[in-house]
Amino acid sequence: MSRENYSIKLTTLEALSLEEVKAPTIPVDIALQEAENLFVWAYEDKIILESKGLDWDTYFEDLPVRIGACRYAQAVWMKERYTKKEILKRWRTESSKAYEFKNEVLADLYFKFRKDAEVLDRLDKITQAEGDDDIIQDLMDISVLGKSNAPELEKKRYDLRKFNIAEQKSDHLAELLFKANDDTLDDVKAKDLRDRAFTHLKEAIDEIRDTGKYAFRKDPERYIGYVQIRIQEKKIMPHYN
């Protein structure tokens, strides 16, 4: 049902202005549970809440749909967030291995071409490069350099497959780095929609709570159900004129 609720609410969520959208100030799973508790609690007070001005259909009857939409939006965002974390983790692991591979091949080439000033000069330039972008370019440069000197390296019985591996690593790391740095990844949109779903849910929660606290300001036993018990400290009951 959560996915269906999300689909129902998507147009409404997307229509919210940036000024209206607020990120959650408490864990979303707690907010969802509080909303479900409120739905059960307020059900018994329909007549009184409506008499005090609560739009029952807009806020109470719609509350389960808003809860479902927010629950699904939260799940989607967590999935995308986890995916990006996994990409960053893979980048750190694989780029570290790529640096080791690069240094190994460079050591080989420095030895093989220790008497070739021109090649040594090109190797020096590769060695001096640092940074995420540089490791990608370095591996490609190593591949090109190695392949352009393949005949001589074959005579020295060097494994030329390493240059294909260098090219493959370069392409793979470039793709990983793009995904790791891409701020347009789905997790950005997913978080925005999660925040919108939370904002839409909170609107209904606030309306029901505010009306309930007003309606039952002189009835502590019913009033307590319209307060966030989890974060409640000693609060003075509000005064209404």
Side-chain angles (χ1 to χ4, degrees), residues 11-191:
T11 300
T12 299
L13 301 181
E14 292 177 335
L16 294 174
S17 68
L18 290 176
E19 292 73 19
E20 293 178 276
V21 179
K22 304 297 181 184
T25 55
I26 63 173
V28 172
D29 59 338
I30 292 177
L32 289 169
Q33 185 59 58
E34 289 183 348
E36 291 175 349
N37 294 344
L38 181 64
F39 182 77
V40 173
W41 186 267
Y43 179 79
E44 300 179 15
D45 299 325
K46 177 180 179 180
I47 295 176
I48 296 177
L49 293 174
E50 283 189 304
S51 72
K52 300 302 180 182
L54 179 68
D55 187 332
W56 190 256
D57 290 339
T58 298
Y59 298 114
F60 182 85
E61 294 293 348
D62 195 45
L63 187 58
V65 182
R66 299 189 191 209
I67 291 172
C70 187
R71 190 182 302 281
Y72 184 77
Q74 172 72 1
V76 171
W77 178 61
M78 292 301 292
K79 175 180 176 295
E80 296 298 338
R81 188 182 182 191
Y82 175 79
T83 298
K84 186 157 187 177
K85 282 185 176 180
E86 281 297 299
I87 291 172
L88 289 169
K89 182 179 178 180
R90 284 175 57 196
W91 164 259
R92 287 191 292 268
T93 299
E94 296 184 31
S95 63
S96 177
K97 291 180 180 178
Y99 274 106
E100 293 177 6
F101 177 80
K102 166 192 166 181
N103 292 334
E104 176 189 329
V105 176
L106 283 176
D108 293 342
L109 295 178
Y110 268 114
F111 177 72
K112 298 295 183 182
F113 293 101
R114 61 190 182 279
K115 297 179 181 179
D116 188 326
E118 182 179 346
V119 175
L120 289 176
D121 181 60
R122 293 176 65 181
L123 290 172
D124 286 343
K125 291 179 180 177
I126 295 174
T127 303
Q128 292 169 5
E130 297 179 356
D132 293 342
D133 292 326
D134 290 323
I135 183 60
I136 295 170
Q137 186 61 50
D138 290 348
L139 290 170
M140 188 59 68
D141 290 344
I142 287 172
S143 176
V144 172
L145 178 61
K147 290 177 181 180
S148 65
N149 289 277
E152 185 174 349
L153 286 169
E154 279 185 312
K155 293 178 184 178
K156 298 178 179 181
R157 298 181 180 181
Y158 190 71
D159 186 358
L160 299 180
R161 291 175 298 180
K162 288 187 177 182
F163 303 119
N164 288 330
I165 294 173
E167 181 179 0
Q168 292 166 3
K169 285 182 177 292
S170 176
D171 290 340
H172 178 60
L173 287 176
E175 182 180 356
L176 272 183
L177 185 61
F178 173 77
K179 290 180 179 179
N181 291 334
D182 185 9
D183 288 334
T184 64
L185 277 176
D186 290 341
D187 71 313
V188 176
K189 181 179 179 182
K191 183 181 183 303

